[in-house]
Amino acid sequence: MAATTKDIARECGVSLATVQRALHGTGRISEETKQRILDKAKELHYEPNLTARTLTLGKSRMLGVLIPFLNNMYFAKICDSMTKAAVKRGYILNILVHGDNKEREKEMLTMLKNYSVDGIVINPINKGETLRKILSAGRQQNCILALDEAEKAGFCGVGIDEQAAGAACAEYVLKRGYQEIYFIAPTYYDAAGEENPGHHSRFLGFREACRKQGNEPVLIVGEDYTEQISAIMRKRNAVGRPALVSSGAIFAVNVINRLFHDGMEPGREYGVMTFDVMPEMAVGGNVRVTCLDNHVEKIGEMAANAIIDLSEDIETPQRNVVPFSIIDGNTL
């Protein structure tokens, strides 16, 4: 039978209240008594009852994370980084995946609130007033949103400045003399035909920077994006190479692999650049794709610490901006 706080109190010759103060770090207790209780808890293999602790302290030390996908390098890296940062501060994550389904996102938010999590980190697909209402419903108010939509909904946010990042990518491509430019964002629109905030902000910044220099980039969307690019490359008669700028690393991988199949190599027949860091082995050979590093690990770490600070009533900035950088490769 598992040891209880009553067992620890009896073994140490102290009151149950003193044991609670030692285990939870609350109230006044001498360091000597606290350490004696903690040592005895370890000796007896005491494991706290999370439900009881939540009722006693009003805190579960659990964070809810709600994302659209996990089979995606971006979200997998964020969750991994969040987990490491949360564990350091004595918290655990409850990760839910809604599969880019707006109604499921609403349902899962309710589930997380019912689990009595101390805070929720969400990369939302619901938008505007709908998002604000579903986040405001119930007792849970501490939400960290990784996209710009967070500020519009009136909650704290963590992430890069997506529009500025888009502009930086455009300027980087234009400085290399490219005139024919394609911006690849297959999931630019969601299932309801609305713009996905992250891709939309990136493209807005990208297009604005291009237009300032008299260039109009072509937006490529839809599940058949590799077929679209393949058709464009096979039919074009223009002089020079086009630039293919991808709004996500996995999209760039798929385009490069498709064009390899067509006998076209990046850096030779076309230039390519992507948001998110590209793993070299994903496309084979000696391909090092030029990319905008949005420092996903830092986003995850900052998000975990920000939501914990909020749950512990520590002042946190409304907008936590992570800087981005460009990593040069051999494809542009």
Side-chain angles (χ1 to χ4, degrees):
M1 185 175 176
T4 66
T5 51
K6 290 182 179 179
D7 296 327
I8 299 171
R10 184 181 62 256
E11 291 284 332
C12 293
V14 298
S15 69
L16 187 57
T18 300
V19 172
Q20 295 287 1
R21 287 196 292 270
L23 294 177
H24 302 307
T26 58
R28 301 175 68 177
I29 182 174
S30 71
E31 282 301 317
E32 180 183 353
T33 302
K34 179 180 178 180
Q35 192 57 53
R36 182 158 56 91
I37 291 171
L38 293 177
D39 289 343
K40 180 59 66 173
K42 185 175 181 180
E43 178 188 330
L44 296 176
H45 304 290
Y46 168 74
E47 293 184 3
N49 182 308
L50 294 180
T51 301
R53 182 173 68 181
T54 300
L55 292 172
T56 301
L57 302 178
K59 294 184 69 64
S60 64
R61 301 193 76 82
M62 180 184 294
L63 305 175
V65 180
L66 184 53
I67 54 176
F69 310 105
L70 255 181
N71 59 343
N72 172 304
M73 289 182 289
Y74 179 83
F75 292 116
K77 284 182 179 179
I78 279 186
C79 288
D80 181 63
S81 180
M82 283 189 60
T83 298
K84 292 174 182 176
V87 167
K88 286 180 181 178
R89 295 184 64 175
Y91 285 75
I92 60 174
L93 302 188
N94 187 339
I95 302 171
L96 298 183
V97 179
H98 57 66
D100 216 21
N101 183 304
K102 290 183 178 180
E103 288 306 312
R104 196 173 299 147
E105 181 179 66
K106 294 178 186 178
E107 294 169 2
M108 288 183 169
L109 272 170
T110 300
M111 289 172 62
L112 286 172
K113 292 169 185 176
N114 290 337
Y115 290 160
S116 298
V117 296
D118 295 334
I120 298 174
V121 178
I122 176 176
N123 196 307
I125 56 170
N126 279 284
K127 305 173 183 69
E129 185 63 17
T130 300
L131 176 63
R132 190 192 65 76
K133 285 181 178 179
I134 63 176
L135 292 180
S136 297
R139 70 170 188 82
Q140 178 60 50
Q141 296 294 316
N142 298 337
C143 296
I144 299 293
L145 311 181
L147 301 178
D148 291 336
E149 194 73 12
E151 292 178 298
K152 299 174 187 176
F155 290 83
C156 289
V158 173
I160 67 169
D161 185 330
E162 298 284 10
Q163 204 157 328
C169 278
E171 291 163 3
Y172 197 82
V173 170
L174 290 164
K175 282 180 180 178
R176 279 149 184 77
Y178 288 94
Q179 295 300 314
E180 184 183 352
I181 303 173
Y182 298 88
F183 190 92
I184 303 168
T187 54
Y188 188 84
Y189 297 104
D190 63 22
E194 296 184 74
E195 293 148 336
N196 278 312
H199 296 306
H200 178 59
S201 294
R202 289 177 178 183
F203 182 63
L204 283 182
F206 189 88
R207 184 176 62 187
E208 182 179 354
C210 284
R211 284 177 172 176
K212 285 180 180 178
Q213 299 194 38
N215 189 289
E216 187 67 30
V218 178
L219 177 62
I220 303 293
V221 303
E223 294 181 359
D224 64 340
Y225 65 99
T226 58
E227 294 301 320
Q228 292 183 57
I229 292 296
S230 176
I232 290 169
M233 292 297 294
R234 284 185 279 109
K235 293 177 182 178
R236 66 185 300 275
N237 294 312
V239 176
R241 299 178 301 165
L244 310 180
V245 179
S246 171
S247 190
I250 189 62
F251 308 143
V253 170
N254 292 338
V255 166
I256 291 172
N257 283 335
R258 174 54 202 257
L259 294 182
F260 261 132
H261 181 269
D262 293 341
M264 290 175 271
E265 295 184 19
R268 180 175 297 178
E269 283 84 8
Y270 63 96
V272 63
M273 182 176 184
T274 185
F275 284 79
D276 308 335
V277 175
M278 172 81 80
E280 291 183 31
M281 296 304 293
V283 293
N286 189 34
V287 176
R288 290 178 290 102
V289 179
T290 300
C291 59
L292 184 135
D293 187 351
N294 48 14
H295 299 289
V296 178
E297 290 85 355
K298 185 63 178 177
I299 291 174
E301 177 187 356
M302 189 177 286
N305 283 313
I307 192 64
I308 291 171
D309 285 348
L310 278 170
S311 73
E312 296 180 355
D313 296 322
I314 299 172
E315 187 174 349
T316 305
Q318 177 74 7
R319 181 66 175 153
N320 300 270
V321 180
V322 176
F324 58 81
S325 58
I326 292 178
I327 302 174
D328 200 11
N330 59 8
T331 59
L332 205 59

